[in-house]
Amino acid sequence: MTRIREYVFQLFHDDATGHDYYHMERVARTANQIAMNEKADIFICEAAALLHDVGDAKLFEQPEKNVEAMNSFLKSIGLTAEQIAFLNQIINEVSFSKGVQVPATIEGRIVQDADRIDAIGAIGIARTFAYGGANQQMIHHDTDKNTSIQHFYDKLLKLYDLLHTAKAKEMAVSRQRFMEQYLEQFYKEW
């Protein structure tokens, strides 16, 4: 796992959109906890969690080349063709924007849950504004809907109900509540 962490660090260490190396680490740590609870393949869950944004089109101009390079790297460190295919399947099923409701495997559901957990709560709020700022998005506007606050309604507040595992829901309860309280306070101040 060390080599995979080093690979991911090289790709994401300077990201300012909230998709930095530390996001990958948090998602991997959360996936590990859920995988242990679900008795799933811990290595696959952690590796997929670390690599889940390698081919993200909103982060990279040529995501397909990133995926090809990732697959070559994984082969070079001794992963089997089956493991690489499984990791690619999971990575392709994680994204909220791709609209995959239920990944095909428990490992896919775990990684999707872990990524969604990192999108909510205090860190999720910080990541939302980091992404918005990096993409010249306004914080809030009364009529313009392309804002960071609107993102809470378009995505973040929906994620809790889309979690698959009981452990993920347990981990996310306080984060969901915190976001709701944050928005109440935001509107009072606005």
Side-chain angles (χ1 to χ4, degrees):
M1 200 63 70
T2 301
R3 300 273 309 274
I4 295 174
R5 279 185 166 79
E6 290 167 355
Y7 182 83
V8 170
F9 181 82
Q10 290 306 313
L11 283 174
F12 295 102
H13 71 278
D14 62 352
D15 178 272
T17 70
H19 297 84
D20 57 13
Y21 172 75
Y22 301 103
H23 163 62
M24 308 310 157
E25 269 296 332
R26 286 189 306 272
V27 174
R29 190 170 51 247
T30 301
N32 178 294
Q33 291 174 14
I34 299 169
M36 284 193 287
N37 194 70
E38 296 291 325
K39 297 178 180 35
D41 186 322
I42 293 171
F43 173 79
I44 290 291
C45 288
E46 272 193 70
L50 285 166
L51 297 162
H52 78 276
D53 280 336
V54 168
D56 193 326
K58 72 180 175 286
L59 303 176
F60 298 103
E61 288 183 22
Q62 296 181 313
E64 311 81 25
K65 287 190 177 185
N66 274 24
V67 172
E68 287 175 25
M70 175 192 75
N71 289 336
S72 294
F73 162 74
L74 293 172
K75 185 176 181 181
S76 78
I77 63 168
L79 270 67
T80 66
E82 292 77 19
Q83 287 174 310
I84 294 168
F86 194 16
L87 289 171
N88 277 273
Q89 175 187 344
I90 292 168
I91 291 165
N92 285 329
E93 294 176 340
V94 167
S95 175
F96 179 86
S97 61
K98 288 183 183 174
V100 175
Q101 296 301 316
V102 182
T105 64
I106 186 62
E107 288 82 5
R109 292 188 291 276
I110 287 167
V111 175
Q112 190 179 68
D113 279 0
D115 187 40
R116 288 175 173 181
I117 286 172
D118 203 58
I120 63 176
I123 288 176
I125 291 169
R127 290 181 63 222
T128 297
F129 291 112
Y131 186 82
N135 288 280
Q136 291 75 49
Q137 194 173 60
M138 294 176 71
I139 292 172
H140 180 58
H141 191 276
D142 291 332
T143 56
D144 185 352
K145 296 299 182 193
N146 185 29
T147 68
S148 293
I149 288 296
Q150 184 60 42
H151 186 65
F152 283 81
Y153 300 99
D154 294 342
K155 178 180 176 183
L156 305 184
L157 292 169
K158 297 175 181 179
L159 293 178
Y160 180 83
D161 290 329
L162 298 175
L163 296 172
H164 308 290
T165 63
K167 180 69 173 171
K169 285 187 182 254
E170 175 189 314
M171 296 169 83
V173 168
S174 64
R175 293 175 186 232
Q176 181 78 5
R177 191 172 308 121
F178 184 81
M179 281 195 312
E180 292 163 355
Q181 292 167 342
Y182 173 81
L183 288 170
E184 286 175 27
Q185 184 65 29
F186 179 91
Y187 288 119
K188 282 180 191 173
E189 294 178 20
W190 188 260

